[in-house]
Amino acid sequence: MQLKGLFTPLITPFNDNNHLNFSTLDALVEIQIESGVAGLIVGGTTGEYYTLDDEERETLIRRVVARVNGRMPVVAGINALNTAEGIRRAKQAEDLGCDGLMMSPPAYSLPQQHEIESHFQVVADATPLDLILYDFPDRAGVTIEEETVKALAAHPSIVGIKESSGDMSRLLSLMGQDLGDFRLICGCDDQAADHLWWGVETWISGSANIFPREQAELLRLAAAGDQAGLREGMRGMLPVIQSMESGAYNQKAKLGAGLRFELPVGDVRQPLLPLDDSEVENFHKLMESFNGE
Amino acid sequence: MQLKGLFTPLITPFNDNNHLNFSTLDALVEIQIESGVAGLIVGGTTGEYYTLDDEERETLIRRVVARVNGRMPVVAGINALNTAEGIRRAKQAEDLGCDGLMMSPPAYSLPQQHEIESHFQVVADATPLDLILYDFPDRAGVTIEEETVKALAAHPSIVGIKESSGDMSRLLSLMGQDLGDFRLICGCDDQAADHLWWGVETWISGSANIFPREQAELLRLAAAGDQAGLREGMRGMLPVIQSMESGAYNQKAKLGAGLRFELPVGDVRQPLLPLDDSEVENFHKLMESFNGE
Amino acid sequence: MQLKGLFTPLITPFNDNNHLNFSTLDALVEIQIESGVAGLIVGGTTGEYYTLDDEERETLIRRVVARVNGRMPVVAGINALNTAEGIRRAKQAEDLGCDGLMMSPPAYSLPQQHEIESHFQVVADATPLDLILYDFPDRAGVTIEEETVKALAAHPSIVGIKESSGDMSRLLSLMGQDLGDFRLICGCDDQAADHLWWGVETWISGSANIFPREQAELLRLAAAGDQAGLREGMRGMLPVIQSMESGAYNQKAKLGAGLRFELPVGDVRQPLLPLDDSEVENFHKLMESFNGE
Amino acid sequence: MQLKGLFTPLITPFNDNNHLNFSTLDALVEIQIESGVAGLIVGGTTGEYYTLDDEERETLIRRVVARVNGRMPVVAGINALNTAEGIRRAKQAEDLGCDGLMMSPPAYSLPQQHEIESHFQVVADATPLDLILYDFPDRAGVTIEEETVKALAAHPSIVGIKESSGDMSRLLSLMGQDLGDFRLICGCDDQAADHLWWGVETWISGSANIFPREQAELLRLAAAGDQAGLREGMRGMLPVIQSMESGAYNQKAKLGAGLRFELPVGDVRQPLLPLDDSEVENFHKLMESFNGE
């Protein structure tokens, strides 16, 4: 899988009955492709994977793969609470025609590092698909420590790590390791320009649901060495991104995408709840400020 | 449901093929009942619920309910990543004849307090069964704040909270609130004597898989006001409990139960991995020290 | 030094000119003695040592030692940012006639464990006075880890540790170590009853500035095995203590002592600032509730 | 004061008797000036201020001011445990001819935000010198929250903040605030290139004791827009800087400076302790790798 450029962990649109909204889903896929995005993650955290039942999961992946139809790689988010489920989801993704996999350590069970390492290795061994690690300790309850990353980077089909800890010192430390062609991937949207400036070439961006074209453009500016453009582009998006990261990330990803592309993406599913009116209004104002630039 | 006394979140035994081991399961149930335990949690954290598929889950609950056959209450652990799944599991537990439910906030999705509150309320409204809250922030990634506990304690079928934060100051603060007949439940095994001394009458104890009789006895000593006995009993178990809480809790729960009751409880399932030989030996020594007292 | 019973880290009273208020200081000492307190800490954290200049420090210690005049032990708080200063303060305390010393690891410089261990040893070696360790990681930025406590407990003049981490599991773990006649000391006022119940015989209590008689009585109840009395006494003070621990500890210690003993103890010194009117009023109400019992 | 460029918080050299080593001090000052550094901090954290007595403090500042003799600004580190001491140190610095002040919130006493704000304001009001805020929560126990920074930035003589939290997201957020000519200052050496790239023009660098010329050059490269040079220069220093930040920062600052400039800078003072032989050897190897580039 070509793991370079902007990858969008796609929001999962629901209709008024709280079912998958296929027409909006198709429209979102087309918007992402037209915007110059390099690839999609389906069934990821921003896609509220943890609210999908097994049938919905399969239907969702199948639909996105079909709609994309080879125009870009499709990566399946395969977070699982245990290793066997991770393997099942990996094989399902392979069967459904996905190009890659992304997975965090299992949440809740607090595995130790050697257990995290084995979990990823066993899942990676189960399919020929490329696997992206995902480090987001606030969610998973555990981090993938640097030594574990180094060990896993040696696996032929473990191809990169989405860094969402927000710890720039960790990124700089990992950049100093010899990790071969294992990719460090920006997973911290507000720090994206820093990642790109340091030579990171991949960005998995939840906020690309709102800013696909602008963020794909950021990657081009970075590759072209246009520093002023990179900073200016980043600065323009920061207020919205910072608002997302301050709370209600998923609600705002949907709100922003719906607003920007005039699509009925629907609400988040419970346990998350829609924003209240004043929160919606505040976020709208931030969006308008962006548009007004 | 009578929510008083020692409740054991039962380990889930597996056989050599890594399937549910029914004969050991039955034997464990009998041991717990004979030991004077007040109730069982099935499909809880110590039961590695996060490694069970849907069919195993149903089979496990059905088997335990049948074996117990009304001799004590059976509570289903119904942790779920989303609210709809929580409702399904609550109804399943009701259908299978359980007497109560226990649930932590959804892991991974980092819900805010109003979302945590709604999650519990919606699930509690879905069945007539009593629901026990479970606060274990290290695992869930979020805590159930005191104000949220107070709000939920007013719900007629939300009957208590298993306190596993390890924060004694929080317990003392909650004890100062007027929570009606809502029960504060010890969920921190090494601090059990303190809870009991303060008047807590319920203990949900993972280490009761190893020490059912001794811990049931602790509750009797506490009720009888036998302070010296309570302290001495607690002190005797502390080295084993502290070892469990220092890491590999589930592995040691199984190791200890298997050793003590000479039953083939099997290994933990992945993502957790069995202890290595020297860890097993160290834990055996701790167990022997206890037996030698 | 007899290190048993209730020790009060005395507030330092200031007059309207923000100078030491000697007459109030004398009155406070008498109140503490009459109340049955076992000893005093002068120049401790509750005494705002960090706001005293060298001359005030000497004057304060001299005055308290003179006033006490052998009626109870006087311990000097000798927190220091470096080891040489710790030695100077230890020798000063010895010269001024103190009976013991209390010291936390140096704040700000983030020493490692072997540096913390050496810091305490070198200071303890500098005088014949008994030294009490003080673990309060939120303030010092570092903790005295259990292994370090064990090593230091072997020093002949290091006689105990004031436990202010609020971590009951740590206390239970330390109690399981063979520390000879090294004393574990309650330094977490809201958890005092638990400490006493477990056999801890010493309590260094900032809130004893407000409740000297009641807390000395708690220790007597604990020694007499009066469980109901111990719990009832603790419960009565908890609302005030919990308010103190939730913020503005020093301000409330002064406010409460001034109110209770009708003494002009004065305000805290900057960087701390007096409470605003509504905070004062709220704390007064808590005090009145206590008095009204 | 011109607050632009590289400022070095100078190590404080000691001789074999553990007294200030004036000849080395003079030599260090000259090296810093010759290396193109923009200014010096004397009596800062890297200067082990917390181990200096009052007389040494005065002597040290006087000597550095005299030696510099107007060739660059000299900033006094004036960290103080209370506000009155902060004022005294500010006035002392003014009297001794310093050009500016730098101060963190008071350690140990855990002031609230309004108390932190007042502390800085009162000290800033006490002298005409410019004051630099210093945010290093791991040391001080408290952070200067963004709202407090905004309030303080409005003070005419509070001119900037040294950001040492290591939190790049906080920097990006502060950059989005309208802070007038208040300067954000890099205080996190491993993240310096990121700060410079974003337009930060001031770097207060403990590791500039080792790399004064190289880091001054980094600032020039950044100003000239030489991205490749900036990254390459940063990469070269990162192994040494990351080693410093991983532990024993002050010991390594001294070790590296002594090694590089062949000067007897002496050991750190206690509570810190010199590195053991193997740690020294490891750090020497890192230094040699740098030199060998």
Side-chain angles (χ1 to χ4, degrees), chain C residues 3-19:
Chain C
L3 183 56
K4 191 175 157 181
L6 181 67
F7 281 66
T8 304
L10 205 64
I11 54 170
T12 301
F14 300 117
N15 61 26
D16 289 351
N17 296 322
N18 206 15
H19 294 138

Side-chain angles (χ1 to χ4, degrees), chain A residues 220-242:
Chain A
R220 277 189 294 274
L221 291 166
D226 182 347
Q227 311 301 325
L230 178 53
R231 278 188 295 258
E232 191 185 351
M234 191 75 223
R235 266 198 209 99
M237 286 180 280
L238 265 177
V240 170
I241 290 174
Q242 287 167 339

Side-chain angles (χ1 to χ4, degrees), chain B residues 220-241:
Chain B
R220 277 189 293 274
L221 291 166
D226 181 347
Q227 309 301 325
L230 178 54
R231 277 189 295 259
E232 191 184 351
M234 191 75 223
R235 268 201 207 97
M237 286 180 280
L238 265 177
V240 170
I241 290 174

Side-chain angles (χ1 to χ4, degrees), chain A residues 166-169 172-173 175 188 190-191 193-199 227 230-231 234-235 238 242 245, chain D residues 166-169 172-173 175 188 190-191 193-199 227 230-231 234-235 238 242 245:
Chain A
D167 181 354
M168 177 61 63
S169 293
L172 293 167
S173 180
M175 285 195 324
C188 194
D190 69 330
Q191 298 178 6
D194 292 85
H195 283 69
L196 300 181
W197 182 76
W198 273 109
Q227 311 301 325
L230 178 53
R231 278 188 295 258
M234 191 75 223
R235 266 198 209 99
L238 265 177
Q242 287 167 339
E245 293 181 346
Chain D
D167 182 353
M168 177 62 61
S169 293
L172 293 167
S173 180
M175 285 195 324
C188 195
D190 69 330
Q191 299 178 5
D194 293 85
H195 284 68
L196 301 180
W197 182 75
W198 272 109
Q227 310 301 325
L230 178 54
R231 278 188 295 257
M234 192 74 224
R235 269 200 206 98
L238 265 177
Q242 287 166 339
E245 294 180 347

Side-chain angles (χ1 to χ4, degrees), chain A residues 89-160:
Chain A
R89 291 189 170 181
K91 289 187 170 170
Q92 178 192 45
E94 182 190 348
D95 291 345
L96 293 171
C98 290
D99 302 282
L101 309 166
M102 186 164 80
M103 185 168 72
S104 81
Y108 195 81
S109 54
L110 301 177
Q112 301 179 67
Q113 290 300 308
H114 71 285
E115 293 168 329
I116 292 172
E117 187 178 328
S118 176
H119 177 72
F120 283 117
Q121 281 171 333
V122 167
V123 172
D125 287 343
T127 85
L129 293 189
D130 286 345
L131 174 62
I132 302 167
L133 312 178
Y134 183 14
D135 187 56
F136 197 158
D138 286 350
R139 290 186 184 272
V142 290
T143 191
I144 313 172
E145 293 180 0
E146 287 191 42
E147 287 304 307
T148 308
V149 174
K150 282 168 69 176
L152 289 169
H155 190 287
S157 65
I158 297 180
V159 295

Side-chain angles (χ1 to χ4, degrees), chain B residues 169 190 194 197 227 231, chain C residues 169 190 194 197-198 227 231:
Chain B
S169 294
D190 69 329
D194 291 86
W197 182 76
Q227 309 301 325
R231 277 189 295 259
Chain C
S169 293
D190 69 330
D194 292 84
W197 182 76
W198 273 110
Q227 310 302 326
R231 277 189 295 258

Side-chain angles (χ1 to χ4, degrees), chain A residues 41-60:
Chain A
I41 320 285
V42 60
T45 303
T46 310
E48 299 169 77
Y49 82 85
Y50 46 82
T51 70
L52 303 177
D53 64 28
D54 287 348
E55 194 182 317
E56 288 173 327
R57 176 180 185 74
E58 179 174 336
T59 307
L60 174 71

